[in-house]
Amino acid sequence: MKDKGVFVVGGVVGAAIVYGIITFFGPGAGGDQSIELRPDDLKLVALGKKVYDANCASCHGRQFEGQDNWRERDANGLLPAPPHDETGHTWHHPDAVLFALTKYGPSVMAGEDYQSAMPGFEDVLTDEEILASLSYVKSRWPAEIRKRHDQINLSAKQQ
């Protein structure tokens, strides 16, 4: 029963983030829908691994496992870093949303009242480095998850 409650809380938080994104960017949610991850671009993915290892792995894990109890707020009221593998929710978001969340941070995307330990990387990483790191993450997803993510992207572009 507890797991279902935790999932609902995580779902509410996720819905709040998506609402913030729509509010911030408008109905096209995620801004520039022309942003596309390139998990089959080996050069970009190699750069992405370096960027991810240097900037993301300390919280999201070298194997994309995230932090323990990532759906439950910690003592500071913050949600731990979610996994970026198929067990997390990263692949549930279109490319443009993932890019914007990484660049600007969840607090900017969901509203200043939303508290997150994740910073925006706008002043740390170039757009190419953000795209590379996300392409690296997607390159590690199982084929079925990549296919489902591609369908999410297609739906987002049609809106």
Side-chain angles (χ1 to χ4, degrees):
M1 190 69 142
K2 180 180 178 194
D3 288 341
K4 286 184 180 178
V6 171
F7 182 77
V8 170
V9 169
V12 170
V13 170
I17 289 173
V18 170
Y19 174 78
I21 291 165
I22 291 170
T23 302
F24 187 78
F25 284 111
D32 185 357
Q33 291 298 325
S34 67
I35 292 173
E36 288 187 29
L37 303 186
R38 300 191 317 260
D40 297 320
D41 180 334
L42 298 180
K43 185 176 179 183
L44 187 67
V45 168
L47 170 62
K49 180 178 181 355
K50 291 177 186 175
V51 172
Y52 181 90
D53 287 349
N55 297 279
C56 312
S58 61
C59 294
H60 293 283
R62 294 245 179 246
Q63 301 301 314
F64 310 109
E65 69 274 13
Q67 295 174 330
D68 291 340
N69 301 316
W70 62 274
R71 289 185 173 123
E72 298 179 38
R73 294 196 178 276
D74 64 18
N76 295 323
L78 303 176
L79 287 170
H84 285 321
D85 62 12
E86 68 276 8
T87 68
H89 59 78
T90 305
W91 64 270
H92 296 172
H93 304 290
D95 293 349
V97 170
L98 295 175
F99 182 88
L101 283 168
T102 305
K103 184 169 182 167
Y104 303 112
S107 295
V108 171
M109 301 302 297
E112 294 302 322
D113 291 341
Y114 181 79
Q115 302 220 351
S116 175
M118 182 176 160
F121 286 87
E122 182 175 23
D123 297 329
V124 178
L125 301 174
T126 66
D127 286 358
E128 179 184 15
E129 289 171 326
I130 294 170
L131 182 65
S133 65
L134 293 168
S135 293
Y136 168 61
V137 169
K138 183 171 181 171
S139 77
R140 302 290 305 268
W141 294 338
E144 178 59 28
I145 296 298
R146 284 176 64 173
K147 182 178 177 183
R148 290 174 68 188
H149 185 251
D150 290 343
Q151 292 168 342
I152 289 167
N153 281 315
L154 185 60
S155 293
K157 287 179 182 179
Q158 292 174 346
Q159 292 181 2

